[in-house]
Amino acid sequence: MTTSDKSPPAASQQMIENLARIEALSQRLVAALSNKRSPNPALEGPGADLYLTAGAAMMKEWMDHPSRILESQVNYWGQAMKHYLEASQALAQGQMKPPADPGPKDRRFANPLWDSHPYFNFIKQQYLISARALEETVSKIDGLEEKDRRRVDYFTRQIIDMLAPTNFLATNPDALERAIETEGASLVKGLENLVRDIEANKGDLVVTLSDKEAFQVGGNIGTAEGAVVYRNHLFELIQYSPTTEKVHKTPLIIFPPWINKFYILDLKPQNSLVRWIVDQGFTLFVVSWKNPDPSYADTGIDTYIQDGYLTAIDQVKAITGEPKVNAIGYCIAGTTLSLTLALLDKRRDKSINSATFFTTLTDFSDQGEFTAFLQDDFVDGIEAQCQADGVLSSYFMTRTFSYLRSNDLIYQPAIRSYMMGEPPPAFDLLFWNGDSTNLPARMAVEYLRWLCQQDRFTGAGVDMMGERLHVSGVKVPLCAIACETDHIAPWIASFNGVAQMGSADKTFILSESGHIAGIVNPPTKDKYGHYTSTAPIENPNEWKGMADHHKGSWWPRWGAWLAERSGRMVAARKPGGPGHPVLAPAPGTYVVEQVQV
């Protein structure tokens, strides 16, 4: 037998197969990228005015305070050179170990090689030194307005995070170790994952955060028993089946945000707020919003109030025979519930007995982490995109929210998927996070312009439906729950909005954790505590300074508050009734619709 007749070694055979797969995947990748939508430059980065403003401020800093700039540069050069010399000296002495690591620890660099291997440690330390120098330089620039400073800080942080050595194959020890262990198969699998994500998003790259096959809405998540008892073009109304013989007389309706879907409140039985509320003896209704397509282009905030809130409240009153309802609004749905309450106050309509607000903003005077996205260059681009598409696509919403936590929601998932070749985890919260929705064009622009940018609701008022609506028109008894580390609706901004509401009966609860975990916080887990205070709802810092910390979930405290405002106990109500036949079992049909734009 000649040498040419011999079969290649197993490793070589594996390599040949991998190369063949790479060639096929590369062809698919090129085909998928050809479907990419035309980019909107206004949504890809800040406008030229920010570059000019920041550049002018930097030049002024050079002219006014040259010593300050030189000091920063010399400090950076000194740190970088010192570390280089220490590393070189260690190698010259044959120690093959890096110099002492001054810290602080960064969880991106958890692999021991970042501390023990001279090559990786040198790269890590030089990156961290450069990152600190950039941050310090930007922080010392005078002459920037606060909004411009926040934007420069934000985009500087994005650049720093993007250039982390963990984001590149040649400087990521985890990915290199995996590639060696698998003889390159992990890289091939990573390319498969990359092609899959680009194909699934019409040429755009959106990292899949969760195994989409692991969950089925209505199958193993969103399974609380109930029925759709009303449907129109904007929402399905779900009434949940009672689990107690008696229920409170006054029904409760939840308005979830129409960014993402309502089943965040019913992910699984052990953390389902829906199930917990029903178990406490409340007749519960939940609105499930329609995922809009371009035919909803002219749907505005007024449409959501009239055909959504007011219609849903009327249907609940008709089904239960009660003259009033208690209402909950979550996030943007809480903002719109506030507008609805101000409208009902103008009309002297007493249909809402009490209101609960989850992580709700009504005072937008401090735009917080969204400052980067709420200036005219970006909002003008959003408006143009909405006019072209008829909706604000879920793609842009997902991307915006992800970049607020880019390491957690973009880079680390991308590393695991594309470099390590790992499948996405079976994580219900991330599955829900990826099940996003579009926003109607007019509604999206009105929300961004009138509320976020112009802060009309706490300012001059919002002219809508023949009335001028102001936050002071919210006069019903209310309970607001905010979350201590919420980066979407900061608790102080939420507090300031509640402080301006006209109600004489206000309760404020501050939950530990963030926008989702602080709300979906069941008592059985005893994970996050909460704060209450006897201080008046006027100054957030004084309120927090006098607050008492309570272990465990805020749910029971709020449940007791709600029970006091829900009337006597009556016989439990089954879903539907005369004139309201059951149209579908919960969680309904709208929640499973997928609309891509």
Side-chain angles (χ1 to χ4, degrees), residues 19-261:
L19 288 173
R21 291 169 66 192
I22 289 174
E23 182 177 358
L25 287 168
S26 299
Q27 293 175 355
R28 284 175 55 191
L29 179 62
V30 171
L33 289 172
S34 67
N35 295 322
K36 181 176 173 61
R37 73 186 82 202
S38 299
N40 181 343
L43 302 183
E44 303 301 323
D49 60 328
L50 183 63
Y51 291 101
L52 292 172
T53 300
M58 190 68 182
M59 289 300 297
K60 188 175 186 300
E61 188 73 13
W62 267 106
M63 296 175 66
D64 293 348
H65 305 286
S67 61
R68 185 187 299 177
I69 300 296
L70 286 173
E71 181 183 6
S72 296
Q73 290 299 307
V74 169
N75 185 49
Y76 164 62
W77 294 333
Q79 291 184 50
M81 185 60 68
K82 179 176 181 290
H83 180 255
Y84 170 75
L85 291 174
E86 289 175 345
S88 299
Q89 185 178 20
L91 289 174
Q93 294 174 351
Q95 296 179 10
M96 289 303 292
K97 68 178 183 179
D101 189 338
K105 295 296 183 182
D106 186 318
R107 61 191 179 93
R108 289 175 294 180
F109 304 110
N111 190 308
L113 288 176
W114 287 113
D115 295 325
S116 63
H117 193 286
Y119 169 72
F120 291 115
N121 183 264
F122 180 79
I123 290 171
K124 180 189 78 167
Q125 290 301 331
Q126 290 293 320
Y127 166 75
L128 293 176
I129 291 169
S130 299
R132 286 194 295 270
L134 273 173
E135 291 173 338
E136 290 173 3
T137 299
V138 168
S139 69
K140 292 178 180 179
I141 299 176
D142 291 332
L144 286 173
E145 293 183 12
E146 182 60 25
K147 66 178 179 63
D148 291 328
R149 176 172 298 284
R150 287 188 178 186
R151 299 190 86 198
V152 171
D153 287 345
Y154 170 81
F155 289 114
T156 300
R157 171 47 56 189
Q158 292 302 317
I159 293 170
I160 290 171
D161 289 345
M162 179 179 66
L163 295 178
T166 46
N167 295 339
F168 302 91
L169 177 61
T171 52
N172 188 314
D174 293 292
L176 292 173
E177 286 179 328
R178 180 66 61 84
I180 293 171
E181 291 169 359
T182 62
E183 297 181 348
S186 61
L187 299 179
V188 177
K189 182 59 179 176
L191 183 57
E192 288 180 347
N193 293 341
L194 175 66
V195 172
R196 174 205 64 205
D197 286 348
I198 292 177
E199 288 178 337
N201 293 282
K202 299 183 177 180
D204 290 312
L205 178 56
V206 179
V207 185
T208 298
L209 299 178
S210 175
D211 182 358
K212 295 182 178 180
E213 303 302 320
F215 301 101
Q216 181 183 3
V217 181
N220 56 358
I221 54 176
T223 59
E225 186 178 347
V228 176
V229 293
Y230 177 82
R231 179 189 295 129
N232 68 9
H233 69 105
L234 204 56
F235 72 93
E236 288 183 330
L237 182 65
I238 300 170
Q239 182 179 0
Y240 285 92
S241 301
T243 58
T244 57
E245 293 183 1
K246 298 285 187 178
V247 294
H248 289 278
K249 190 171 185 291
T250 303
L252 176 66
I253 181 170
I254 298 179
F255 295 99
W258 46 95
I259 303 171
N260 293 104
K261 297 178 180 178

Side-chain angles (χ1 to χ4, degrees), residues 426-441:
F427 188 4
D428 55 357
L429 181 59
L430 290 179
F431 175 86
W432 167 84
N433 186 73
D435 192 11
S436 52
T437 60
N438 305 316
L439 300 182

